[in-house]
C-alpha cells in the first residue's frame, strides 16, 4: 500500500479516538485521515477499556457517556464514608465500546498492521509498515514510548477490575466510589478500591495500586478478591479488564519531528500523580483540530501547567520513598477543600490561587522534605548535563 493523506494516526486507542472526535467537530472540512493499528476498533467495537473524567456542563462526549454522577463516595482507611458533592462538576464514565460505536459512522480509512518506523521529512512524514508506506502531511503517534529524559522517580498505577453482577440489590446506582482505602497499603505506594455502579446489581469493581511493579495474576486475584468480597459478596464477573499506567516525573516530548507529534500518555497527557488521562486527551485533541482548521502548527498543547509538573514530582518522590501516607493524603485534601476545587486541581485546570489553597492543606513537613529532595536531584541532573556538554566540546 502507498497513499498520501493529511493526517496519519499511528495507534488506534483512546488518544486517536478523541482526536478523531475533535477533528469531526472542529477540524477543517475534507481532511483525509488514516488510522494505522493492528486492531480496527471502530469496526470491531471491543469492550477493552473504561475512561472516567469530570467536567462542567454537558460532557464533550455526551453521546458516548454510559453513566454520569453529581456525587461520589470516598471511604477512608477506618471505613468512614465521605459523600462528596461535586457541584458544579459531574463525574462521567465512558465505555470504549460506546465511544467506538458513536464514532463508527465517520470512521476514516484503517490500515490493519503494526508500524515499523515513522520518518520525518521536509514536506511531511512517512509511515513505514509491512504493507507499504503511507505519506502524510502530519503524523500523530500514540504508541507507548519511553520518557525523555529518564525519570528520577517512577511508579506504576496498575489495576485489575471486573464488571460484576449480583443476584440481589447491592449497589447504589447514584453513588459511585471514587476511592475506597480499606485495601492493603504497599510498603512504598498506595492502593484503593474503585466502584462504578450502572444499576442496583451491576458495577465495575476495581482494585488499583500505585507501586513500583505490577502484581502477578495470583496477586491481583487475591487483592481484588478481598475487595470484591467487601463490596459485592457473591458477585459474578461479566467482563474483566487489567492494565497499567506510568506515573513518572520524567517528561514526554509532544513533538518528535517537524511533522511528527505524540499523543496520549506518550505525549504527556497522563497526570503523573493520579493517572487520569481522558480529559487531557480531549483538550489536546480540540487544540490540534482547531490548529489544523486555522492552518497553524498542530502541536498538542502542554496538558498541565509547569507548576503541576513540579508538584507531581514531589508527590511521587514522597510516595515512592514511603514517607507519604497516600490514603491519608487524599482523604485530607477532600476534607479540607470543596471537592470541585480538588478535582480541578487534579485535572490541571485550577488557577494559581486555588492551587495554593489545595497545596496548603497537604502535610507540609513531608512534602517540604520531598520538594527539597527533588530540587537537589534536579540540580544534580543539571550539573551532570553541563559536565557532559563540556566534555563533548573538548
Amino acid at each position: 500500500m502507498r497513499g498520501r493523506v493529511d493526517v496519519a494516526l499511528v495507534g488506534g486507542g483512546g488518544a486517536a479516538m478523541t482526536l478523531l472526535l475533535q477533528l469531526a467537530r472542529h477540524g477543517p472540512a475534507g481532511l483525509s485521515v488514516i488510522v494505522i493499528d493492528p486492531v480496527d476498533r471502530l469496526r470491531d467495537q471491543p469492550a477493552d477499556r473504561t475512561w472516567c473524567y469530570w467536567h462542567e456542563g454537558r460532557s464533550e462526549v455526551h453521546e458516548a457517556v454510559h453513566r454520569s454522577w453529581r456525587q461520589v463516595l470516598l471511604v477512608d482507611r477506618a471505613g468512614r464514608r465521605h459523600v462528596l458533592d461535586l457541584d458544579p462538576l459531574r463525574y462521567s464514565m465512558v465505555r470504549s465500546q460506546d465511544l467506538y460505536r458513536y464514532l463508527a459512522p465517520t470512521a476514516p480509512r484503517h490500515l490493519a498492521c503494526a508500524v515499523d518506523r515513522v520518518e520525518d521529512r521536509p514536506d511531511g512524514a512517512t509511515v513505514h509498515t509491512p504493507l507499504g508506506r503511507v505519506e502524510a502531511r502530519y503524523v500523530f503517534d500514540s504508541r507507548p514510548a519511553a520518557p525523555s529524559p529518564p525519570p528520577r522517580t517512577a511508579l506504576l498505577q496498575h489495576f485489575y477490575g471486573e464488571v460484576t453482577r449480583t443476584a440481589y440489590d447491592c449497589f447504589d446506582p447514584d453513588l459511585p466510589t471514587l476511592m475506597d482505602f480499606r485495601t492493603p497499603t504497599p510498603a512504598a505506594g498506595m492502593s484503593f478500591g474503585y466502584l462504578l455502579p450502572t444499576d442496583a446489581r451491576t458495577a465495575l469493581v476495581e482494585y488499583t495500586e500505585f507501586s513500583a511493579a505490577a502484581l502477578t495474576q495470583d496477586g491481583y486475584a487475591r487483592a481484588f478478591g478481598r475487595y470484591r468480597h467487601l463490596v459485592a459478596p457473591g458477585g459474578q464477573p461479566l467482563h474483566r479488564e487489567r492494565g497499567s499506567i506510568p506515573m513518572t516525573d520524567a517528561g514526554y516530548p509532544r513533538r518528535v519531528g517537524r511533522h511528527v507529534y505524540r499523543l496520549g500518555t506518550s505525549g504527556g497527557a497522563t497526570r503523573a500523580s493520579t493517572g487520569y488521562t481522558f480529559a487531557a486527551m480531549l483538550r489536546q485533541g480540540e487544540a490540534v483540530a482547531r490548529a489544523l482548521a486555522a492552518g497553524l502548527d498542530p502541536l498538542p498543547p502542554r496538558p498541565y501547567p509547569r507548576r503541576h509538573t513540579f508538584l507531581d514530582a514531589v508527590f511521587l518522590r514522597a510516595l515512592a520513598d514511603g514517607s507519604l501516607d497516600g490514603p491519608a493524603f487524599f482523604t485530607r485534601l477532600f476534607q479540607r477543600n470543596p471537592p470541585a476545587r480538588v478535582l480541578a486541581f487534579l485535572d490541571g485546570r485550577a488557577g494559581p490561587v486555588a492551587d495554593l489553597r489545595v497545596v496548603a492543606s497537604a502535610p507540609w513537613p513531608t512534602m517540604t522534605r520531598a520538594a527539597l529532595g527533588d530540587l537537589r536531584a534536579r540540580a544534580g541532573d543539571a550539573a551532570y548535563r553541563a559536565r557532559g556538554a563540556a566534555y563533548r566540546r573538548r
Side-chain angles (χ1 to χ4, degrees):
M1 175 181 176
R2 185 172 181 173
R4 174 82 183 187
V5 294
D6 294 315
V7 171
L9 301 180
V10 176
M17 295 301 106
T18 50
L19 178 54
L20 285 175
L21 174 76
Q22 301 291 24
L23 287 174
R25 291 178 175 172
H26 306 293
L31 193 75
S32 58
V33 181
I34 189 170
V35 178
I36 307 173
D37 190 276
V39 179
D40 187 349
R41 291 177 174 85
L42 295 185
R43 183 190 67 188
D44 300 339
Q45 299 174 6
D48 56 0
R49 64 199 71 190
T50 302
W51 298 285
C52 292
Y53 80 116
W54 42 83
H55 56 89
E56 187 172 353
R58 181 184 173 92
S59 168
E60 294 171 272
V61 288
H62 174 77
E63 296 84 355
V65 169
H66 186 60
R67 285 300 307 266
S68 187
W69 300 275
R70 178 69 74 191
Q71 295 181 322
V72 298
L73 181 66
L74 183 146
V75 183
D76 64 25
R77 187 184 283 119
R80 291 183 292 265
R81 294 162 54 92
H82 306 267
V83 178
L84 309 177
D85 187 344
L86 306 184
D87 187 61
L89 304 179
R90 296 192 70 88
Y91 187 59
S92 290
M93 171 188 183
V94 179
R95 303 184 306 177
S96 58
Q97 63 268 38
D98 298 327
L99 181 61
Y100 301 152
R101 190 177 302 118
Y102 172 65
L103 292 173
T106 57
R109 295 165 59 195
H110 185 273
L111 186 58
C113 66
V115 169
D116 297 326
R117 62 188 176 94
V118 178
E119 179 187 4
D120 192 44
R121 303 178 67 85
D123 60 344
T126 302
V127 183
H128 297 265
T129 82
L131 301 181
R133 293 183 295 174
V134 175
E135 306 289 346
R137 185 180 177 194
Y138 299 110
V139 172
F140 295 91
D141 191 343
S142 57
R143 295 173 298 169
S148 178
R152 291 177 292 272
T153 306
L155 296 176
L156 285 178
Q157 178 182 158
H158 50 98
F159 57 88
Y160 174 85
E162 293 180 358
V163 176
T164 299
R165 178 76 176 173
T166 62
Y168 56 95
D169 289 354
C170 182
F171 310 113
D172 181 351
D174 296 322
L175 191 63
T177 301
L178 183 68
M179 288 180 166
D180 186 339
F181 293 116
R182 295 174 294 172
T183 52
T185 301
M190 59 180 283
S191 72
F192 56 91
Y194 182 70
L195 191 149
L196 298 178
T198 54
D199 58 52
R201 300 189 179 191
T202 311
L204 171 62
V205 182
E206 210 159 84
Y207 171 81
T208 300
E209 185 172 299
F210 297 179
S211 61
L215 301 179
T216 64
Q217 185 173 345
D218 288 343
Y220 284 120
R222 288 192 297 270
F224 173 79
R226 285 194 295 268
Y227 184 65
R228 184 183 64 182
H229 180 74
L230 188 65
V231 297
Q236 298 298 314
L238 302 180
H239 168 71
R240 297 178 173 88
E241 64 179 42
R242 176 177 172 179
S244 64
I245 302 168
M247 304 175 69
T248 171
D249 60 0
Y252 287 87
R254 292 164 289 140
R255 182 195 293 275
V256 290
R258 184 176 177 184
H259 304 93
V260 183
Y261 311 88
R262 289 201 174 274
L263 285 178
T265 295
S266 62
T270 295
R271 183 71 193 265
S273 58
T274 64
Y276 283 106
T277 307
F278 193 73
M281 291 194 304
L282 286 171
R283 291 194 296 267
Q284 288 188 320
E286 180 179 353
V288 167
R290 291 188 182 278
L292 288 171
L296 303 175
D297 179 10
L299 173 68
R302 181 179 295 278
Y304 305 104
R306 290 182 183 276
R307 63 183 181 276
H308 284 212
T309 303
F310 172 68
L311 293 173
D312 285 349
V314 172
F315 169 79
L316 288 176
R317 175 175 288 271
L319 196 63
D321 67 18
S323 62
L324 180 67
D325 183 334
F329 173 83
F330 280 104
T331 302
R332 179 172 173 157
L333 290 190
F334 281 107
Q335 285 181 325
R336 299 190 178 191
N337 296 275
R341 179 191 296 164
V342 178
L343 296 182
F345 171 79
L346 296 179
D347 196 29
R349 293 184 296 104
V353 174
D355 284 350
L356 284 174
R357 289 173 177 168
V358 174
V359 170
S361 61
W364 271 94
T366 298
M367 303 310 285
T368 299
R369 286 193 297 272
L372 292 174
D374 184 76
L375 290 172
R376 284 193 296 268
R378 289 171 186 263
D381 289 347
Y384 177 80
R385 288 195 294 270
R387 288 195 301 270
Y391 177 80
R392 289 191 294 272
R393 287 195 297 268
R394 291 179 183 175

